[in-house]
Amino acid sequence: MLCVCVCPIVLLAVWVIITMMPTLLLNLSNDNPALNMRDYAGWALWTVGFLLETVADDQKRRFHNDPANADRFIQHSVWSWSRHPNYLGEIMLWAGLCLSASNVFTGYDWLALGSPMFVAWLLIGLSGIPILERKAKKQFGENPDFKRYLKETAMLIPGIW
């Protein structure tokens, strides 16, 4: 029984450490380099990602809270650009954080670039998108508007994928 309780906690701890590794390295570094374009680009990417995730989550919450949308799927505003704009924002903000923190990386610190890749892998390949895509196809799969939405709307990155 102990393993059943401990394993999820250990996995959660590993997830948190991997995800926050760039920030840990930045905060543990004795270097204090001058701000440069990588900092500004990272902060801009973080800000756009945070805003995209926040707006997408708010739009989805409002959509689902409207009883008129009980048997409908969201396909307007940022959801018309991407089927998972909240996840795109999440990936962008962690990538931005890593980009700005990378100014202090040396040697093995560069392995922390795996942090945003890990977040992307979790959302794209393991938990987020695959689960939600299956659920949506089960619920709306025969709906012609949904079929068109799948065909015309990027899964994650508008105009690319």
Side-chain angles (χ1 to χ4, degrees):
M1 182 56 104
L2 180 62
C3 184
V4 174
C5 295
V6 172
C7 288
I9 293 169
V10 170
L11 291 174
L12 180 62
V14 169
W15 170 66
V16 168
I17 289 168
I18 291 171
T19 303
M20 66 186 286
M21 188 56 66
T23 303
L24 288 173
L25 292 170
L26 176 65
N27 290 331
L28 292 172
S29 174
N30 291 325
D31 291 344
N32 192 15
L35 295 178
N36 61 41
M37 288 306 294
R38 207 180 321 169
D39 289 303
Y40 300 119
W43 298 340
L45 186 60
W46 186 93
T47 301
V48 171
F50 180 79
L51 291 172
L52 178 59
E53 182 177 9
T54 302
V55 167
D57 286 344
D58 184 61
Q59 288 175 353
K60 193 167 191 178
R61 180 187 55 79
R62 289 173 187 258
F63 182 84
H64 286 300
N65 284 342
D66 183 348
N69 295 326
D71 294 323
R72 298 174 61 208
F73 60 95
I74 189 167
Q75 58 181 326
H76 64 278
S77 210
V78 297
W79 296 88
S80 67
W81 310 338
S82 168
R83 296 196 309 262
H84 304 282
N86 50 344
Y87 291 154
L88 176 58
E90 180 81 10
I91 292 165
M92 289 171 66
L93 71 87
W94 287 109
L97 186 91
C98 188
L99 179 61
S100 64
S102 69
N103 281 316
V104 299
F105 291 177
T106 60
Y108 288 113
D109 294 351
W110 288 100
L111 292 174
L113 291 177
S115 169
M117 290 186 259
F118 179 70
V119 170
W121 172 73
L122 286 176
L123 295 175
I124 295 169
L126 188 64
S127 64
I129 290 175
I131 292 169
L132 291 177
E133 288 282 313
R134 279 192 302 274
K135 181 180 173 188
K137 287 176 183 172
K138 184 176 178 183
Q139 185 175 0
F140 303 111
E142 298 305 313
N143 181 326
D145 291 333
F146 182 71
K147 288 180 181 180
R148 185 172 46 257
Y149 180 67
L150 289 178
K151 185 178 179 182
E152 296 174 0
T153 309
M155 182 175 299
L156 188 67
I157 304 171
I160 298 175
W161 179 67

